[in-house]
Amino acid sequence: AAQFRHVVLQQGHFFRGTIRDNLLLDGDGYEDGQLTDMLAKMHLQHVSLTDRVVEKGENLSDGEKQRLALARAMLRKGRLWLLDEPTSSLDDVTEQRVMRHLFEQAADDTLLLICHRLAGLEAMDRIVVLDQGRIVETGTFAELMEQKGYLYEMKQIELQLIGEAGE
C-alpha cells in the first residue's frame, strides 16, 4: 500500500516551538545540516532552526508557512504526495524554484497536486480539469493545449493578464 509522505494543505498546521520542532514532527533523526539544506531548497535560508514559532505559526507569513510545510513533507518517508494549493501564497519565481525541488524529489513517486494556478502543469503526467465538481477534460498539458478546450481557454486568459501586467 502506498504510504503518504505528507499532506500539504493551503493552510498548514504549526505548533508552538522552534522551526526545528515544526520540521521534525515525527521525531525523525535528521541532523541540523540536512534541515538547513531543506530550508534553503524551500527558499527559507533566512530562517534559523532555533527561531521560535508561535501557536498556529502566526509569526510567519503565509508564504513562509507554505514553504515550511513543504520542507516538512519533503523530509518524510513515503511514495504518495497530496498537495492542495501548496504554493498559492508564493510569488511566481519562488514557486518555480520550490516546485523544481519538489518535482526532483517526487520524480519516482505519485504526486497529486490540486491547484488553480496553471504554472508548472507542463511537468505533470496527467491533468484532470474540473469545473464545478465535474471532470471536463483529461490529458497531458500538450494534449489539452492541442484540444483547445477548457484548460487552453484558461491559459489564454492567464497569458493575456500577464501581458497586460507587463505593459
Side-chain angles (χ1 to χ4, degrees), residues 39-84:
L39 290 174
K41 286 181 180 177
M42 294 296 104
H43 293 268
L44 289 169
Q45 57 271 19
H46 63 282
V47 173
S48 165
L49 293 174
T50 57
D51 285 353
R52 302 300 300 166
V53 177
V54 301
E55 192 70 30
K56 298 180 184 176
E58 291 179 2
N59 60 324
L60 302 171
S61 72
D62 287 344
E64 288 171 327
K65 289 182 207 179
Q66 286 189 322
R67 288 176 284 156
L68 186 58
L70 283 167
R72 182 168 52 199
M74 291 175 73
L75 290 167
R76 296 193 63 185
K77 305 292 183 251
R79 303 292 307 267
L80 181 59
W81 301 69
L82 176 57
L83 309 174
D84 182 9

Side-chain angles (χ1 to χ4, degrees), residues 93-116:
V93 173
T94 303
E95 177 184 34
Q96 289 174 14
R97 291 175 180 165
V98 165
M99 292 305 287
R100 184 181 72 241
H101 289 295
L102 175 69
F103 288 148
E104 286 172 8
Q105 186 159 340
D108 296 324
D109 299 342
T110 299
L111 175 67
L112 179 60
L113 176 63
I114 301 164
C115 62
H116 289 92

Side-chain angles (χ1 to χ4, degrees), residues 3-166:
Q3 184 182 38
F4 274 103
R5 178 175 296 270
H6 198 66
V7 175
V8 179
L9 304 174
Q10 189 172 0
Q11 297 293 324
H13 281 86
F14 299 93
F15 307 95
R16 188 176 314 148
T18 63
I19 294 291
R20 181 186 293 107
D21 297 333
N22 277 276
L23 285 173
L24 300 176
L25 292 179
D26 293 339
D28 297 323
Y30 290 100
E31 295 183 13
D32 286 357
Q34 294 170 297
L35 299 177
T36 55
D37 286 348
M38 184 57 69
L39 290 174
K41 286 181 180 177
M42 294 296 104
H43 293 268
L44 289 169
Q45 57 271 19
H46 63 282
V47 173
S48 165
L49 293 174
T50 57
D51 285 353
R52 302 300 300 166
V53 177
V54 301
E55 192 70 30
K56 298 180 184 176
E58 291 179 2
N59 60 324
L60 302 171
S61 72
D62 287 344
E64 288 171 327
K65 289 182 207 179
Q66 286 189 322
R67 288 176 284 156
L68 186 58
L70 283 167
R72 182 168 52 199
M74 291 175 73
L75 290 167
R76 296 193 63 185
K77 305 292 183 251
R79 303 292 307 267
L80 181 59
W81 301 69
L82 176 57
L83 309 174
D84 182 9
E85 298 286 354
T87 58
S88 61
S89 295
L90 304 182
D91 62 81
D92 292 339
V93 173
T94 303
E95 177 184 34
Q96 289 174 14
R97 291 175 180 165
V98 165
M99 292 305 287
R100 184 181 72 241
H101 289 295
L102 175 69
F103 288 148
E104 286 172 8
Q105 186 159 340
D108 296 324
D109 299 342
T110 299
L111 175 67
L112 179 60
L113 176 63
I114 301 164
C115 62
H116 289 92
R117 292 165 101 172
L118 305 180
L121 293 181
E122 300 86 353
M124 305 310 282
D125 293 329
R126 182 158 221 55
I127 300 168
V128 177
V129 181
L130 299 172
D131 182 31
Q132 298 183 9
R134 269 185 331 107
I135 295 175
V136 293
E137 58 190 9
T138 65
T140 66
F141 185 82
E143 290 169 347
L144 295 177
M145 289 298 106
E146 188 176 308
Q147 290 174 13
K148 296 189 177 182
Y150 193 90
L151 184 66
Y152 175 84
E153 293 294 325
M154 294 295 100
K155 191 65 175 175
Q156 298 310 304
I157 291 169
E158 179 184 75
L159 292 171
Q160 182 181 0
L161 292 174
I162 291 171
E164 290 173 4

